[in-house]
Amino acid sequence: MNTKQAFFMAIKSLKNSKMRSFLTMLGIIIGVASVIILISLINGMTGEITSQFEGMGTNLLSVNLMGRGGNMTGNHSANIDTMEELVEDNPEYLAAMSPVVSVSSATVKYETYNVTASCTGISENYGSIRNYAVETGRFISYIDVENRHKVCVLGSYEVEELFGTEDPLGQTIKINGEEFTVIGTLPEKADSAEASNDDIILIPYTTAMQLASNARLSSYVFQATSGDVVKQAKTTIENALYTIYQSDDSYMVMSQAEMLEQMDELTGTMELILVGIAAISLLVGGIGIMNIMLVIVTERIREIGIRKSLGAKKRDILGQFLIESATTSALGGVVGIIVGIVVAYIFGALFDLSISPSLFSIILAFGVSVMIGIVFGYLPANKAAKLNPIDALRHE
Amino acid sequence: MIDLIEVYKIYFANLENEVRALDGITLHIGKGEFVAIVGQSGSGKSTCMNIIGCLDVPTQGEYIINDVNVAHYSDDALAALRNKTLGFVFQQYNLIGKLNILENVELPLIYGGYTPKERREMAMEALERVGLTNRILHFPNELSGGQQQRVSIARALVTKPQVILADEPTGALDSKTGIEILELLQELNREGCTVVLITHDTHIASYAKRTVSLQDGKITSDRVKGGLLS
Ligand SMILES: Nc1ncnc2c1ncn2[C@@H]1O[C@H](COP(=O)(O)OP(=O)(O)OP(=O)(O)O)[C@@H](O)[C@H]1O
Ligand SMILES: [Mg+2]
């Protein structure tokens, strides 16, 4: 008997008990679907974050002062002047600097429209550091910073959400109740999606400090003169801060590349954990298949006896049941792949992630499910094949 | 063709109790014979047929078919023997319910390695012999008992076996249908097929050319129609 016939025979016996086949497959379906969903989502998320980071340029360094480190009034602390001096004194490594003040989840209103966005307070240098060129209007200027002007530059997501097709320039919006004048807009970079590089509101950092009612500047972003000197730039900043604080746990200097690495590490670990969970559910699915195959074998002992009396060899019976269980789990695998891709796309749409289920994960999921069928089907199939013809025939 | 030499089949219920289903049977069946094995219930008829059919092995003694001792056969060789040389007709028909009539008849040919085209032709030919070509796509449970038994005969003869073993083939049928089945077996025998018919009914046994009587696992008589053989 050849494989093709055994395969059709397997399909037939699956069709004969649809409900049971479906329930048997369920474990595999869930396992495979979750593998695909998880891998797609993680890839989407990683891609999103990576592209955000990469959008910032590779020669950035972020400096965070911790604890009382950012206190402007402290004697031994770094402040904006320290940072400015650093740039002035090290022109070979450092090109520019801007403080960064985050006003997270600010309520932004224009007439009846409103969005919740994160506002970032920056200095006039930020534009060149992050390669932000305004599309319309102008960028935040030194004067705006000095005089704490309530002005803002909007990302394309905010423009779309608040103004639609209306021209935002010169309009007044309310950020956490304070009135701001829109002075510029940024070009679209990421389809104006929420939480993307286009979801951004820039205001002078001095204004942001008022808005966030904190008197400390604890975050700065530096631009190295080129991607090649990022390491030296980092050492320069660290040395300067160490001189001030005499300890290296009051500040943290991180380069873009390091952040990316950390990110990768984090998503890698997450991936491992989630895939582990999915693997457990596949294992459970496999045991389910073994269980049901044992039942099927017991139910069909008489049929096995008949087949043996007609000349079926051991390997014919073994093949028949192995192919049946492999087909069951492979079919479960295919359904799981489809369900997984669909759900991944739905999640992607919900969370604004670009989902592309990797071919690798699909092939892996399919291969694993077939393997499960073979491995967990072997025991019951072998049990069936070993039966003595007369004992099988006599079985009630 | 078939030689049983001092064959014992002993079941041990426990160490003291043993059931001698076959108690030293020596039997020769030649090519082209039509032998009925008769005896009361429990006399060992089915056990005897199972050994002749290579479905079971003797506890002791030799079984030689086509000049080869089956003790020397591997599992696969026994399967091939059942497939090519032997054909079974069971009292309970033993058709596979999930397969239609045609597929049931094709089954031994699948294990025999025939191509789909050959299988279909041979199966149709066999079904024609038993007069069931109009029901090939039905399932066994859609047929009457007599029709099912005819399907199982078609399945037994489809490989053109040398021996057909029939264990109470008419046991579940009324006498008229039973006679049809017996006539079918007679016809196959006339064409050269060796037929072994198991029955407890001496009337049915009279369709055979030779009758072997069993009692408590022993042969008590062996008659050929019209005379005593031994
Ligand atoms: N697997 C078994 N274990 C124990 N005893 C068995 C087994 N199979 C058969 N026997 C015994 O062997 C004896 C012969 O059984 P067998 O089935 O050959 O009888 P039979 O002549 O075919 O009877 P019937 O006409 O009722 O079918 C019986 O006493 C039976 O109880
Ligand atoms: Mg019997």
Side-chain angles (χ1 to χ4, degrees):
Chain A
M1 188 168 63
N2 65 34
T3 323
K4 207 172 97 193
Q5 279 149 11
F7 177 73
F8 284 123
M9 212 125 69
I11 294 280
K12 202 167 198 161
S13 89
L14 292 182
K15 266 202 282 189
N16 279 330
S17 46
K18 291 193 191 72
M19 190 62 191
R20 179 163 73 187
S21 313
F22 173 73
L23 289 175
T24 312
M25 285 179 212
L26 205 56
I28 301 290
I29 293 175
I30 293 172
V32 167
S34 51
V35 169
I36 301 232
I37 294 168
L38 294 177
I39 291 183
S40 309
L41 284 183
I42 291 167
N43 281 349
M45 239 147 67
T46 315
E48 185 81 14
I49 292 165
T50 311
S51 76
Q52 265 184 23
F53 273 102
E54 274 166 0
M56 294 177 193
T58 50
N59 49 357
L60 296 192
L61 294 134
S62 82
V63 176
N64 277 290
L65 305 177
M66 283 160 298
R68 291 176 53 78
N71 196 330
M72 284 189 6
T73 59
N75 260 345
H76 295 285
S77 65
N79 56 26
I80 177 122
D81 298 329
T82 325
M83 304 298 174
E84 258 161 14
E85 274 163 30
L86 259 173
V87 177
E88 275 161 30
D89 296 348
N90 301 284
E92 68 275 34
Y93 299 138
L94 297 172
M97 180 280 300
S98 165
V100 178
V101 179
S102 287
V103 183
S104 52
S105 53
T107 319
V108 183
K109 269 195 190 137
Y110 172 68
E111 289 177 350
T112 55
Y113 306 99
N114 64 74
V115 290
T116 305
S118 66
C119 276
T120 312
I122 43 95
S123 77
E124 71 283 0
N125 293 331
Y126 196 72
S128 69
I129 295 175
R130 295 282 310 270
N131 293 324
Y132 280 152
V134 286
E135 191 173 52
T136 59
R138 63 171 181 88
F139 204 76
I140 285 159
S141 69
Y142 178 69
I143 311 282
D144 293 327
V145 175
E146 279 298 289
N147 299 326
R148 299 181 184 171
H149 282 158
K150 289 182 176 162
V151 293
C152 64
V153 174
L154 300 183
S156 60
Y157 169 73
E158 272 70 26
V159 172
E160 218 165 77
E161 289 294 305
L162 295 172
F163 295 96
T165 53
E166 213 179 311
D167 183 11
L169 284 189
Q171 303 287 3
T172 304
I173 61 170
K174 278 190 174 174
I175 301 176
N176 279 357
E178 302 270 344
E179 290 192 346
F180 280 74
T181 309
V182 179
I183 54 165
T185 63
L186 296 171
E188 180 177 71
K189 282 185 176 171
D191 299 329
S192 301
E194 191 176 355
S196 72
N197 278 335
D198 290 335
D199 184 358
I200 183 171
I201 298 178
L202 299 175
I203 57 178
Y205 75 87
T206 45
T207 323
M209 282 164 75
Q210 275 184 333
L211 206 62
S213 58
N214 63 2
R216 298 161 31 159
L217 272 179
S218 54
S219 296
Y220 300 85
V221 55
F222 283 81
Q223 184 185 24
T225 45
S226 81
D228 305 330
V229 297
V230 171
K231 272 220 168 71
Q232 290 93 317
K234 190 184 170 202
T235 327
T236 309
I237 299 170
E238 276 175 342
N239 287 345
L241 291 175
Y242 190 82
T243 321
I244 295 170
Y245 292 109
Q246 294 299 319
S247 124
D248 54 11
D249 39 56
S250 302
Y251 56 86
M252 194 163 75
V253 182
M254 234 205 290
S255 69
Q256 193 69 43
E258 285 173 315
M259 283 188 233
L260 265 177
E261 256 167 47
Q262 268 197 355
M263 208 51 234
D264 279 354
E265 219 169 276
L266 194 74
T267 50
T269 325
M270 226 159 72
E271 198 168 86
L272 221 65
I273 293 169
L274 295 177
V275 167
I277 294 169
I280 291 172
S281 76
L282 277 177
L283 180 77
V284 172
I287 293 172
I289 286 199
M290 173 149 72
N291 192 14
I292 212 71
M293 287 310 292
L294 278 169
V295 172
I296 289 175
V297 164
T298 314
E299 249 177 25
R300 286 166 52 184
I301 287 181
R302 225 179 128 79
E303 178 192 325
I304 294 164
I306 296 170
R307 287 177 185 271
K308 286 203 154 183
S309 77
L310 297 178
K313 296 185 171 73
K314 215 168 162 171
R315 62 168 178 272
D316 293 326
I317 304 289
L318 186 71
Q320 184 190 338
F321 282 90
L322 266 190
I323 286 175
E324 192 167 322
S325 72
T327 308
T328 310
S329 60
L331 225 64
V334 170
V335 176
I337 287 168
I338 294 167
V339 170
I341 291 176
V342 170
V343 174
Y345 273 110
I346 292 173
F347 277 161
L350 283 178
F351 300 131
D352 265 318
L353 296 172
S354 68
I355 297 291
S356 54
S358 70
L359 187 66
F360 170 74
S361 69
I362 292 171
I363 291 172
L364 182 80
F366 184 77
V368 165
S369 51
V370 172
M371 279 309 295
I372 283 174
I374 291 173
V375 170
F376 288 97
Y378 185 82
L379 187 80
N382 197 42
K383 188 182 160 198
K386 273 199 322 218
L387 285 171
N388 193 0
I390 190 63
D391 294 338
L393 266 176
R394 283 227 192 94
H395 189 87
E396 287 311 317
Chain B
M1 164 105 248
I2 287 171
D3 268 298
L4 293 168
I5 302 161
E6 281 292 305
V7 167
Y8 291 83
K9 183 73 192 182
I10 303 170
Y11 295 104
F12 297 94
N14 51 46
L15 280 178
E16 288 105 56
N17 277 323
E18 52 168 48
V19 178
R20 293 185 172 231
L22 291 179
D23 196 4
I25 281 189
T26 301
L27 179 66
H28 172 83
I29 298 172
K31 197 166 163 36
E33 280 200 70
F34 189 164
V35 184
I37 298 179
V38 289
Q40 289 166 346
S41 184
S43 54
K45 309 180 293 290
S46 294
T47 310
C48 186
M49 186 196 100
N50 292 335
I51 286 174
I52 295 174
C54 299
L55 296 172
D56 208 351
V57 285
T59 313
Q60 206 191 312
E62 312 255 283
Y63 171 36
I64 291 153
I65 181 165
N66 284 343
D67 302 324
V68 185
N69 190 331
V70 294
H72 302 320
Y73 274 41
S74 67
D75 276 356
D76 281 0
L78 285 176
L81 186 77
R82 287 194 289 268
N83 184 252
K84 301 215 156 43
T85 314
L86 305 168
F88 295 92
V89 180
F90 299 98
Q91 178 174 352
Q92 317 84 331
Y93 325 130
N94 279 350
L95 300 174
I96 293 178
K98 291 173 304 184
L99 304 181
N100 66 31
I101 300 313
L102 186 64
E103 290 166 329
N104 262 291
V105 177
E106 281 185 356
L107 203 52
L109 301 174
I110 289 181
Y111 295 123
Y114 291 88
T115 66
K117 193 164 162 282
E118 290 168 331
R119 293 203 306 256
R120 173 157 283 247
E121 277 167 13
M122 289 166 79
M124 285 307 286
E125 201 182 303
L127 282 163
E128 208 165 312
R129 290 276 329 247
V130 300
L132 275 175
T133 41
N134 53 339
R135 308 299 295 264
I136 55 168
L137 296 181
H138 285 256
F139 287 87
N141 61 2
E142 296 165 354
L143 300 185
S144 74
Q147 286 168 331
Q148 290 188 52
Q149 195 59 296
R150 272 159 44 206
V151 174
S152 88
I153 290 177
R155 183 180 65 182
L157 64 83
V158 72
T159 53
K160 307 196 167 65
Q162 295 168 21
V163 185
I164 287 191
L165 301 167
D167 191 354
E168 305 269 14
T170 61
L173 305 175
D174 63 60
S175 55
K176 187 173 162 285
T177 343
I179 287 166
E180 279 172 33
I181 298 292
L182 291 168
E183 282 171 348
L184 203 54
L185 290 175
Q186 274 183 329
E187 201 182 308
L188 289 171
N189 177 245
R190 246 176 271 129
E191 287 162 18
C193 188
T194 310
V195 178
V196 180
L197 171 68
I198 310 275
T199 177
H200 60 272
D201 185 334
T202 43
H203 174 69
I204 289 170
S206 69
Y207 281 81
K209 296 180 197 160
R210 173 183 167 196
T211 304
V212 176
S213 301
L214 274 185
Q215 200 178 339
D216 295 333
K218 290 195 174 81
I219 294 178
T220 51
S221 78
D222 191 344
R223 288 189 191 76
V224 175
K225 245 186 194 165
L228 208 67
L229 191 88
S230 61

